[in-house]
Amino acid sequence: MPTNVQGIMEVMNVNKLTKAECRVRILIADQLARMNKKLGGDMEKIETVGLYMIEVWKALGMSLEDGKVEILWSSKEVGSRVNEYLDLVADIIDKNSLAGLKSCWKFMDRTDEVVNLNASQISTLGMQCADIFFLQADICQFGMDKREVNILAREYCDKIHQKNKPIVLSHHTLPGLKEGQDKMSKKIPSSAIYINDSEAEVNRKIGEAYCPEMVVEGNPCLEYIKHIVFPWFNGFVVELNEQDGGVRAFESFEDLVVHYECGILQPDDLKVALSIAINKILQPVRNYFEDNDTAKQLLRSVLNYGVSG
């Protein structure tokens, strides 16, 4: 499966950074993927997925043409300075206790307890932390599920007496569409909306989504509206029947919440409006992958691999 709509948030954040005159380096962690046996450790397949991701970013409107965004591959970056990189990974691991690394992994993996932390997981933490320093990043931008790696990097600065610590800029991690899902599940495709989903698939998934009447807390539909629709469109439009008030345009999420909590806005109306908004965002992506032969072939390959994320 292709990447999910979390990628929309990532693109918006990168564009905000470049608009603020930041230079952005995006690291495609192909080396880490190989080490963790993603796609069987097949580097050709891993590279294909990386190239597909670049096409997704283009289709979503990431500002890649003005030179402010640099896309790097970890295999090439590490390969050119392998000893320096391995020394850094080893030092980060050496300066942290096993208990501390376990705690970091627990938060990343969203589990209550980590009984056994294997060597690969320890290396993963060390490498993700090392990437921040290897790229000479002033600001680290991950999802909240990777926030602990950023904290690990800041704590490492204390241990090596480095005053300039990387700034942590964490974007929200979207929940799954099913009840009680903290994040989208690769094992339950219907719990996530994917970038290349058809209009019908988006409508079906949102139609089946958990959306309790008059309940805001733990409502994934409202989470998608808050973190994707409002930032993208600077508002949210709900089309009702004339007898129910006609078209309602919400300029703030807080106003939407008030109408939903008191029952003026019903789940079915919310879902229809959310489906329309998401499809408006994704239609140019569908058009791009339909019209661009390279992108189309990459998508076809990724679908054959059964990749999701």
Side-chain angles (χ1 to χ4, degrees):
M1 294 176 186
T3 189
N4 61 52
V5 290
Q6 189 81 42
I8 297 172
M9 295 170 59
E10 294 163 0
V11 168
M12 287 191 289
N13 286 338
V14 168
N15 288 347
K16 287 178 185 176
L17 288 168
T18 56
K19 190 175 180 180
E21 299 301 324
C22 293
R23 289 180 61 247
V24 177
R25 286 178 172 174
I26 298 175
L27 183 68
I28 298 177
D30 56 337
Q31 191 68 26
L32 187 61
R34 185 186 67 82
M35 189 185 83
N36 287 333
K37 303 299 182 185
K38 301 293 185 182
L39 297 171
D42 188 323
M43 280 297 278
E44 184 176 344
K45 291 182 178 179
I46 292 169
E47 181 181 359
T48 298
V49 173
L51 292 171
Y52 158 76
M53 287 301 307
I54 294 172
E55 295 303 320
V56 168
W57 298 331
K58 290 178 183 177
L60 283 169
M62 184 181 287
S63 303
L64 296 174
E65 306 303 326
D66 55 9
K68 291 181 181 178
V69 177
E70 185 179 7
I71 297 175
L72 306 171
W73 297 77
S74 63
S75 57
K76 295 178 182 177
E77 296 302 309
V78 172
S80 63
R81 295 184 288 160
V82 63
N83 290 335
E84 177 187 347
Y85 183 78
L86 292 177
D87 287 346
L88 179 57
V89 172
D91 194 51
I92 290 169
I93 294 173
D94 184 58
K95 285 183 168 57
N96 282 278
S97 67
L98 184 58
L101 293 172
K102 275 188 176 183
S103 177
C104 181
W105 189 271
K106 180 181 74 173
F107 282 105
M108 288 173 56
D109 203 39
R110 301 287 184 90
T111 53
D112 294 330
E113 185 178 5
V114 178
V115 178
N116 297 309
L117 194 66
N118 62 41
S120 175
Q121 291 167 326
I122 292 174
S123 298
T124 294
L125 289 172
M127 291 172 70
Q128 289 181 335
C129 186
D131 289 341
I132 295 169
F133 298 98
F134 207 63
L135 294 177
Q136 299 179 316
D138 300 306
I139 301 172
C140 310
Q141 206 251 276
F142 288 118
M144 283 298 293
D145 57 335
K146 295 292 189 295
R147 180 177 178 273
E148 294 302 315
V149 173
N150 293 337
I151 300 302
L152 194 68
R154 289 178 61 84
E155 291 175 349
Y156 177 68
C157 289
D158 290 332
K159 292 168 183 175
I160 62 174
H161 308 292
Q162 179 173 312
K163 291 183 178 180
N164 295 328
K165 300 179 182 180
I167 296 168
V168 178
L169 182 62
S170 301
H171 60 253
H172 184 70
T173 300
L174 290 170
L177 292 171
K178 303 301 181 183
E179 182 177 0
Q181 286 186 310
D182 288 336
K183 59 181 180 179
M184 297 175 236
S185 173
K186 298 175 183 178
K187 296 179 181 179
I188 309 174
S190 61
S191 73
I193 297 171
Y194 294 94
I195 292 295
N196 297 96
D197 276 352
S198 67
E199 181 177 350
E201 287 173 321
V202 171
N203 294 340
R204 176 182 60 79
K205 290 179 179 181
I206 293 178
E208 296 172 354
Y210 177 66
C211 188
E213 185 177 358
M214 301 171 65
V215 176
V216 174
E217 189 70 27
N219 189 324
C221 291
L222 287 170
E223 288 277 305
Y224 278 56
I225 293 167
K226 179 180 181 179
H227 295 285
I228 295 181
V229 178
F230 265 100
W232 190 277
F233 294 108
N234 294 312
F236 182 62
V237 177
V238 180
E239 297 182 12
L240 303 172
N241 296 325
E242 286 300 325
Q243 59 267 31
D244 294 324
V247 176
R248 288 182 180 269
F250 296 95
E251 295 182 356
S252 72
F253 181 71
E254 292 73 21
D255 188 27
L256 173 67
V257 165
V258 169
H259 282 73
Y260 192 77
E261 282 185 317
C262 69
I264 296 175
L265 187 59
Q266 291 294 301
D268 286 346
D269 297 322
L270 187 83
K271 287 182 176 183
V272 170
L274 174 58
S275 296
I276 291 171
I278 294 295
N279 278 313
K280 282 183 179 179
I281 296 172
L282 295 184
Q283 190 55 51
V285 178
R286 298 178 190 124
N287 295 342
Y288 180 88
F289 275 86
E290 182 61 34
D291 297 338
N292 186 303
D293 290 338
T294 299
K296 185 188 296 185
Q297 182 55 51
L298 288 168
L299 173 60
R300 188 176 294 120
S301 296
V302 170
L303 289 170
N304 288 335
Y305 300 160
V307 175
S308 63

